[in-house]
Amino acid sequence: MGKQVKYLKILIFLCIFSVFSIISQAENIQDNLIDLSLEQLMEIEVTTASKIEEKLFDTPAAVYVITAEDIRRSGVRSIPDALRIVPGVDVAQINSNEWAVSIRGFNDSFANKLLVLVDGRNVYTPMFGGVVWSDLDTLISEIERIEVIRGPGGAVWGNNAVNGVINIITKNSKNTKGNFVEGGGGNEQRGFVNLRHGGEVSDIGSYKIFANYFNRASLESTTGGSNNDNWQSGRAGLRFDLDPTDRDKLLLTTNFFTTDFNRNITVATTTPDTFETFKSDSDNYGFDMQVLWRRQLGGDSYIDFQIYYEYINRDLEGITKIKRNTVDMEMLHRIPFSYHGAHDLIWGLNYRFYSDDVDSSEVFSLTDPKANISLFSGFIQDQVSFFNNKLVVTLGSKFEHNEFTGFEVQPNFRVLVSPDEKNRFWASVSKAVRVPSRIDDSVRFLVSTITDPVTGLPVENQIFGNPDLLSETVWAFELGYRTTPYEWVNIDISSYINLYKNLNVGVAQAPLFNPGDPSIILPFEFENDQEGKTYGFEIASTFTPYDFWKVRFNYTFFNIDLDLQTSDPVIIRFPEGTSPKNKFAIQSFLNLPHNFELDSTLYWVDDLKEFDIGDYARLDVRLGYTPVKNLSFSIVGQNLLQKEHQEFGNSFIGDSAEIERSVIGSVRWDFK
Amino acid sequence: MFRYIFIFLLLFSNITYLAAETTRYDLEAAFVYKFIKFVEWPGSFEDEEFFDVCYTGSGEIQSSIKALVDSEIKDLILKVRIVDNLSELRNCELLFVDISSTDGRKKYINFLSKRSVLTVSHFDGFIEEGGMINLLLKNNRIQFEININSAEKSNIKVSSKLLRLANSVTASK
C-alpha cells in the first residue's frame, strides 16, 4: 500500500509540472517544411498511414492493429505482452519464457486454433499446431505492425486459422535507413540490446541488417523458491527490398535465431502417485530464408510468387529433441475487374512440405518419429462492390489436401454495408478446420500413474494419438459495427457465435498389458468426441480529444459451453475455464511539453476457474524523454499494482511462475 | 485502482506538436511555396502587398495550400483564393489546378496561356496539356516536371536551380 501511494504522488507531481510549465507555441507543420531547402524537401518520404486506417474501417472482419508506435509507447518488450490490449485475445504468461495466447477461448500453452504469420511466413509448429512464442521475442524492435483478425481466416491464409490470425509485419528496409541502437535493462529484463543498420542498394532499393539480444531473469515459482526459468535469446537478420524494374518488387529476407532457456518441468513417473520436478536446460535455434516477388500486371492486377525455407532445432531436456526442415511455395494472383459491379478477385496455390525427426523420452514419444508431410492448398475469393462501395460482398473458399484427413473445404461469406461516411455494418458466415497435428496423430504421453484398486498393479494413464482423427471444425457467425461519430472518436464492436464439432478429447480405451512388464497401460486415445459453442462480443474504442492525447478503452465478453459426446472416462484437453469471461484495458498516451511522454495502460482480467486463479489488475506506466532529436530515454514500470500474481496453471512442459512487478530503463538512438 | 484513471483526465489547452509523419499534401504545398521563390514574374511587385495563390478544384490538398496563408514570400504576404470559374482568375499569380479530368484542366490552361500566371498541378498529363509545373510522387518522394515552353510563352522565368532539380524539363507545345 505504501508503494502505491508513492506512485500516486509521483504521478500527481508530473501532471502539475506539465500544467504549469511553459507552453510551447503551437507549431504548424507547414512552418517547419517551408524552412527546409528544396533539396531537403525532395529527400522526405511521404507516409500514407491514413490509407491503413481507411482500409481497417472498411474491413468486413474483426480486425485490430498494433503499430510500432503503440509497442514503443506501451513499453512492452515481449510480443505476447503487446497482444494483451487486443480485445478477444487471451494472453497469460505461464513462466519467464512460456505463454498461453489464444483468440476467443481455448487458451493453453499449446493453443492451436490460431494462425500466426511473420511477413507472410507461417510460424506455427506442426508438432502441436501452435506457436512457440519464446522463439519470436527478439523480433520486437523490428516490428512495423501486428494485425490481429478475430474470427476464421481460413479462406485466404493457411489452415489452423480457426479462431483467428495474427500477422506480424516487420519493418521495410525503405523506412529504416541509417543506424539504430537501443539498449536497456531492469530487474527482470537483465539486459537487452538491439542494433540495426540500413542503407541503399544502388538505385534499385534498400537493405537492412540487424542483431538483437536479451537476457531475462528467473521468476519465482508458485510454490516458493526460484522457478528456474531464466533465459537468453539472440537473433540476426538481413533484408533487401528491391524495385528492379517499374513493375517488379522483390523482398529477400534471412534470419537466424537462438534461445537458451531453463524451465522447471513437472512430469509423471512410472511410480504410482509420484511426479518429478526437474530443471530442464534447453535450447532452440532456427534459420529461415524467404524470397517474395511481386509483378504488376496491367491495370491494378498483380501476381506474387513466394518461396521460403526454414530449419528448426529444439532440445527440450527431459522431454524431446526435434529437428525439422520446411519448404513452402506459394503463388497469389489478384485481378480487379468490372462486371455488374467492381470485382476484386484473388486466387492462389500453395505447396508446403516438411520433414521432421522427433526423439523420445520416458514421458513422451511419437509412434511416427520421422515424418515427411506434404500439404497442397488453393483458395479463391471475389469481393464485389455495388452502389459506389455502399455494399461490398465477399465470397471465397479455401481448398486443401493434407496427409492426415484428406480433402478439406473452408468457405467464407462476408458483407459490408456503408450507410454513410461515418458508419459501417458487417456480417460474416465462415467455416474453418483445424487439421490434426503430429501430436494428435501419433503421440504417447504419460499423464499420471496410479495404483489399480483391484490388482494392486501400477496403471499408467497415457494419452495416445489417433491417425484416424478427423479435423476439428467451426462454423462462425459474426456481426460487427464501426462508427466515427466525431473525427476524434472511433468505436468498433464485434460479436460472434462459434459452433464447434469434433473437438479432440482423450477417451479411455481397453487397458493394454505388456508381457514381462508389471504395469498396465490405460490409453486415452484422441477421439473427436466433444462439441460446443462459444459466443461473445468485443469493443475497441479510441479517443483523440487533442493532438497530444490518445485514450483507448477495450472490453471483451466471452462465454464457452462444451459437451462431451461420450460417457467413457476422458482426459479433457480443452477445459472450459482457461479463458476469462470478462476483461478490459484502458490505455492513455499523453505527450507532455519539453518532449516528455507519459503513457499508461491498465488491464483487468477475470478469474480462470480451471486453475483457481483469481482476477487481477495490471498497471504499466512509462515515462519517455527525448532531450535531443533522435535520442530518447524511457523508464517503464510493469505490474505496478501487486508484488506478484499468477496468470495460468502449469503446462505439460513448464511449471507456472509468479508474474512480478518490474522496472525497465532503456535508451534509443537513431543516427546516420 | 480507479482513482489512478482520473489523474490522466486533466484539461490542457490546445498544444500541438510536430507530427512524426509527413503527408503527401503538406509536402506538395511546401513545394508550391518553393516554386514561387524560384520563379520570376514579369514586371515588379513593388506596389503590391499580397502574393495571390489561386486554387481550383476539390481535392484534399486544399487545406495544405491554405496553411501557406500569411507566410512571407518575395517581400509579400501570401494569400490563397478559391476559384470556381474562369472569370474569377483576375490577379492570380499562381494557379493550383486540382482537377482530375483532362478537359477540366485544359479549360484553365488554355484560358491562361500567354497570361503571366504560373500553373501548377499534380496529375499525370498536365505537362503535355500545357501546364507549367507538375508534381509527381515517385518512390514515396515528391518530384516535379517542368514545361519550359509554356512558361516562356507567359513570360515566366524559371530559375536554373529549379530546372536542375526537376525530374524532367519538357519543351512541348
Side-chain angles (χ1 to χ4, degrees), chain A residues 367-381:
Chain A
T367 56
D368 197 3
K370 283 193 218 245
N372 294 314
I373 311 274
S374 287
L375 172 71
F376 294 89
S377 57
F379 73 88
I380 182 161
Q381 173 182 289

Side-chain angles (χ1 to χ4, degrees), chain B residues 124-164:
Chain B
D124 274 343
F126 189 63
I127 294 298
E128 289 76 10
E129 290 151 10
M132 291 175 205
I133 308 186
N134 196 32
L135 291 155
L136 312 160
L137 181 62
K138 261 203 162 152
N139 285 333
N140 268 357
R141 290 193 177 83
I142 304 290
Q143 296 179 11
F144 54 95
E145 41 182 8
I146 301 178
N147 185 331
I148 195 75
N149 255 10
S150 305
E152 279 172 4
K153 268 201 287 188
S154 301
N155 285 323
I156 288 181
K157 255 188 79 184
V158 178
S159 90
S160 55
K161 182 183 176 106
L162 218 49
L163 292 173
R164 195 169 24 92

Side-chain angles (χ1 to χ4, degrees), chain A residues 129-379:
Chain A
V131 174
V132 179
W133 290 98
S134 54
D135 286 352
L136 300 176
D137 261 2
T138 39
L139 262 183
I140 200 159
S141 65
E142 294 304 303
I143 295 180
E144 175 63 46
R145 66 178 187 278
I146 305 177
E147 297 172 350
V148 179
I149 301 180
R150 292 103 65 203
V156 179
W157 291 282
N159 68 13
N160 239 70
V162 166
N163 279 4
V165 181
I166 294 181
N167 198 2
I168 298 173
I169 296 166
T170 65
K171 295 183 180 183
N172 191 309
S173 60
K174 279 194 191 92
N175 300 325
T176 55
K177 298 200 190 129
N179 302 296
F180 168 78
V181 177
E182 182 184 29
N187 57 338
E188 229 170 74
Q189 298 278 338
R190 286 225 204 91
F192 60 89
V193 61
N194 301 319
L195 307 166
R196 188 199 311 131
H197 168 77
E200 289 193 353
V201 177
S202 47
D203 57 350
I204 56 166
S206 50
Y207 75 95
K208 70 171 184 179
I209 183 165
F210 69 89
N212 298 338
Y213 167 81
F214 64 72
N215 187 314
R216 294 185 188 171
S218 290
L219 297 176
E220 259 194 46
S221 155
T222 50
T223 52
S226 168
N227 205 39
N228 290 324
D229 50 13
N230 56 322
W231 59 308
Q232 51 179 338
S233 180
R235 173 182 291 261
L238 175 60
R239 172 177 174 145
F240 291 92
D241 293 281
L242 310 171
D243 295 325
T245 76
D246 262 346
R247 289 191 294 162
D248 297 291
K249 272 187 176 10
L250 217 51
L251 167 66
L252 305 160
T253 71
T254 179
N255 287 281
F256 172 77
F257 82 90
T258 166
T259 67
D260 180 358
F261 60 100
N262 293 319
R263 288 219 189 130
N264 269 352
I265 303 184
T266 299
V267 291
T269 65
T270 49
T271 311
D273 303 317
T274 310
F275 288 84
E276 185 200 334
T277 299
F278 65 96
K279 177 174 162 187
S280 167
D281 182 352
S282 302
D283 52 80
N284 294 339
Y285 66 89
F287 166 74
D288 62 67
M289 281 192 358
Q290 169 189 26
V291 179
L292 167 62
W293 171 35
R294 169 170 296 187
R295 174 153 211 142
Q296 292 290 139
L297 306 167
D300 278 328
S301 77
Y302 59 80
I303 190 164
D304 284 348
F305 292 100
Q306 171 170 278
I307 179 166
Y308 70 86
Y309 163 75
E310 179 189 64
Y311 173 71
I312 295 271
N313 186 310
R314 298 191 197 286
D315 184 349
L316 186 61
E317 192 191 10
I319 307 278
T320 184
K321 285 202 223 295
I322 302 171
K323 293 195 221 325
R324 184 174 66 248
N325 287 286
T326 308
V327 173
D328 186 303
M329 296 189 265
E330 75 178 53
M331 172 232 110
L332 183 153
H333 184 199
R334 183 174 193 156
I335 318 159
F337 66 93
S338 275
Y339 182 73
H340 297 308
H343 290 248
D344 191 355
L345 179 74
I346 317 180
W347 70 277
L349 299 169
N350 174 289
Y351 170 68
R352 187 178 178 89
F353 169 80
Y354 70 87
S355 156
D356 65 22
D357 189 342
V358 181
D359 281 6
S360 57
S361 64
E362 254 187 32
V363 289
F364 169 86
S365 64
L366 294 186
T367 56
D368 197 3
K370 283 193 218 245
N372 294 314
I373 311 274
S374 287
L375 172 71
F376 294 89
S377 57
F379 73 88

